[in-house]
Amino acid sequence: DPMEVHNKVELSRSQVNRKTEQKIVEGLLGGDDDDSPGNPDAEVYETTVATEPITINVKPIAAKNEPAHFNGAIGRFTIEATLEKTELGKNEEGFLVVTIKGKGNFTQLSAPSLVWPKGIEGFEPSVKDFLDKTSVPLSGERSFRYAFVSGQPGTYELPAVSYEYYDADSNRYKTISSK
């Protein structure tokens, strides 16, 4: 939508050697309907700044071959998963960190669904972003830190973590997987 800002600035013509006589006052003089005479030694400047409306054309992505777990992420991404510790005591909390790196709409990157092995209880992840907000498209990484515990001693192998996104460069859906 177009935007418009109306400015009314009163500048004093008197000379003051000590403190400045100029003040910024917002909404204290009664707004636009203020008809008070004001300072006789002041000059009033009024201006209006406006923009034109902007048209944005949003193209649809291909509906054909859309993966079942696609959540709207578009860009070019890689994924990796690491354990903070590979050996834990019984009922000791461990952490799996899944990091998605690349360029794209990071706001659509939701936490990957994990399938925990029998004997391990996993919890919802905390999310941390490291993004370069000055680049277009947005680039950086989003990390998901999953806490988990096991009450049963043993050796467990965590399955690969997969993530589905739409690659705008190749115009097709892709699935990335960690080790």
Side-chain angles (χ1 to χ4, degrees):
D1 291 339
M3 292 185 65
E4 185 174 296
V5 177
H6 181 74
N7 295 296
K8 183 177 181 181
V9 180
E10 185 178 294
L11 299 174
S12 174
R13 284 186 253 145
S14 66
Q15 293 182 357
V16 177
N17 292 329
R18 282 175 258 137
K19 292 186 177 179
T20 179
E21 195 173 302
Q22 304 295 327
K23 284 193 221 177
I24 296 177
V25 182
E26 293 183 27
L28 297 178
L29 300 176
D32 289 340
D33 58 354
D34 181 42
D35 293 329
S36 59
N39 182 350
D41 290 330
E43 208 169 319
V44 176
Y45 294 93
E46 290 188 56
T47 185
T48 300
V49 180
T51 66
E52 295 295 321
I54 298 173
T55 302
I56 300 172
N57 183 18
V58 179
K59 299 177 184 178
I61 59 174
K64 184 180 178 185
N65 300 326
E66 182 176 314
H69 294 99
F70 177 67
N71 62 5
I74 300 173
R76 188 174 47 244
F77 302 104
T78 60
I79 191 170
E80 67 179 37
T82 57
L83 288 169
E84 289 186 359
K85 287 173 61 177
T86 57
E87 292 188 18
L88 302 169
K90 181 180 174 182
N91 293 323
E92 180 183 353
E93 188 174 52
F95 294 96
L96 172 67
V97 179
V98 177
T99 303
I100 298 176
K101 299 178 184 180
K103 293 182 176 192
N105 63 342
F106 277 87
T107 56
Q108 294 294 323
L109 294 181
S110 59
S113 298
L114 301 184
V115 179
W116 296 98
K118 187 176 181 178
I120 292 183
E121 182 180 3
F123 304 99
E124 288 297 313
S126 62
V127 180
K128 197 172 223 179
D129 288 332
F130 302 95
L131 304 174
D132 178 4
K133 295 178 182 174
T134 62
S135 68
V136 176
L138 200 58
S139 66
E141 64 184 59
R142 177 171 278 184
S143 292
F144 302 93
R145 188 172 183 250
Y146 296 85
F148 65 91
V149 294
S150 176
Q152 302 295 322
T155 300
Y156 298 91
E157 185 172 310
L158 300 178
V161 179
S162 296
Y163 201 82
E164 297 165 334
Y165 70 96
Y166 185 79
D167 185 336
D169 293 335
S170 64
N171 291 323
R172 63 186 181 113
Y173 294 94
K174 290 191 174 180
T175 301
I176 50 177
S177 296
S178 68
K179 293 184 179 181

